[in-house]
Amino acid sequence: MAVSSIPARSEDPTTGPTRAPRRPRGEGQWALGHREPLNPNERIKKDDDPLNVRARIENIYAHRGFASIDPQDLRGRFRWWGLYTQRKAGIDGGRTAVLEPHELEDEFFMLRVRIDGGQLSLAQLRVIADISREFARDTADITDRQNIQYHWIRVEDMPEIWRRLESVGLQTTEACGDCPRIVLGSPVAGVARDEVLDPTPAIDEIVARYVGDKQYSNLPRKFKTSISWLVDTPYQSNDISFLGVDHPEHGPGFDVWVGGGLSTNPMLAQRLGVWVPMAEVPDVWAGVVGIFRDYGYRRLRNRARLKFLVADWGVERFREVLEKDYLGRTLLDGPAPDLPAKPVDHVGVHEQADGRHYVGAAPVVGRVSGGQLAQLADVVEAHGSDRVRLTPYQKLLVLDVPSERTESLVDALRGIGLEARPSAWRRGTMACTGIEYCKLAIVETKARGEELVARLEQRLRDFDADISIHINGCPNACARTQVADIGLKGQLVVGPDGRQVEGFQVHLGGGLGMAQGQTAGFGRKLRGLKTTAEELPEYVERLARRYLAGRSKGETFANWVIRVDEEELR
């Protein structure tokens, strides 16, 4: 007689038969024995470590061309070397979600150059400019991750591009992919008057030890880092952030935050409650990445970020696992960092700790060109500097300028389209790549941002408040939509004639805890508050004028948004 494989049923005298409880479904956590790939992305990584694809690019694809590229390499492993196929021209936003990848993509690539800490030498800047002009049709956007982003890159040119970048100490290794992305850092690290401890050695050690290390090249999804003494990076939106703090007994070190991330399910990072000396930052960083690798959720891509694990575990358990299983020691409790009296802004002319000056300048929504960067290199050299920095807000800085040369530099920067004394609108507006090149985008962003800034400068040139405007082409929040004063999430909306047109859902009053009195939170979403792209400048102007007319003394835009009736915001 055959033995049944049906689970046994128990009898409850009051309710009747019950089935044995079902085991909870695994989340794909390696540490719990769930090693089998659970989605196509995980299978691609298991079949071959993505770092290995560089050899195929150099030895096969660069010689045989785009058509020879294996689809798993093309749409998967190429990302570990900073390469994404770019959007084919002429495909409107309404078809973004319905076309297959091969129908959306062009035979050209977007390429990200990782610039950890945003630090560039003059020689590196010139190489970036030359690559842009020779291989990227003069494109070279500054991103809000301190990257340089090219477009129109051909696979045939990648060996030469890598040779040139690496000859000056730059790389594209793990600029994208399910791995440790660029490490954000203060653009004034090592020169700021208010900086007690320069974390650049910790950033350099992390990059040298772990970027390109196959122990950390297969994470559940991307992993974003920020390390800064100053409160001048968006530390609450990263997977891990180290923020400078003085311990009353042990002196300067870093406060640790974990579990931040935006996209379609935004969460703010939480304090781990520990104090870490700079020498231990790389080990603590590696421990947190190790937890993510081993315990991160790999079954569903939309739950594969560290923020979901931190939310489920809580910071107390997360700290316990980090200390016991990954560091083998207890971390010291630490105080919360002191926030500055007002948000740190590096645009303009500022004195360095050594008496020289740095000058921060704003392109429009991060859009620059290779020709412009080549001109910048000439201007920088002519003013006695050898160092440029990129910021997490799509701006750039020139360091080490003698005090008597600052005004000349301001004028020279203006002459090449970089403004060191910008309007509030140019200073405060960022935009992601958008539909021009991105396969995920639904609407245009860069051109819309440029148009918006120009309109507001014309109509509200003397606007005297700081308002951040972040424009995103889709829900993925690459431009940090939810933590802007005015966050604009691209989508199709119904226009005046009843047809679908490009537009934005509006988020109002979001922000991070960047200064005393600021409460971090996500922008207010009002029911039905949307604008077409054509009506966007008019809407923002109307909103700004209402704020100017109705604010109380010293009231920020975010606080005004919370206080006023909804009708004022429409």
Side-chain angles (χ1 to χ4, degrees), residues 237-363:
S237 63
N238 285 269
D239 295 280
I240 186 170
S241 291
F242 295 84
L243 196 59
V245 66
D246 252 319
H247 193 286
E249 297 177 30
H250 303 287
F254 293 90
D255 188 43
V256 183
W257 298 64
V258 294
L262 300 178
S263 193
T264 54
N265 198 330
M267 300 183 194
L268 295 174
Q270 302 178 55
R271 286 191 64 234
L272 208 53
V274 301
W275 175 88
V276 177
M278 190 167 74
E280 296 180 13
V281 165
D283 289 340
V284 172
W285 180 91
V288 172
V289 179
I291 291 176
F292 181 43
R293 176 195 60 206
D294 300 338
Y295 287 96
Y297 303 147
R298 294 176 183 263
R299 184 170 67 87
L300 300 175
R301 289 287 286 178
N302 63 1
R303 274 181 54 81
R305 291 294 299 275
L306 181 67
K307 62 186 178 183
F308 294 101
L309 182 66
V310 173
D312 289 347
W313 278 12
V315 290
E316 294 82 7
R317 181 183 174 191
F318 193 95
R319 176 177 174 179
E320 180 183 0
V321 172
L322 175 64
E323 292 175 334
K324 289 184 176 180
D325 298 342
Y326 289 82
L327 297 177
R329 64 180 185 276
T330 300
L331 296 168
L332 291 170
D333 293 338
D338 292 325
L339 298 180
K342 60 181 182 178
V344 178
D345 183 4
H346 299 307
V347 175
V349 179
H350 303 266
E351 188 176 1
Q352 297 179 178
D354 63 3
R356 292 181 293 179
H357 289 73
Y358 68 87
V359 177

Side-chain angles (χ1 to χ4, degrees), residues 3-11 17-23:
V3 178
S4 172
S5 61
I6 299 174
R9 295 162 70 92
S10 60
E11 187 82 17
T18 60
R19 187 175 295 275
R22 179 179 295 173
R23 291 180 61 190

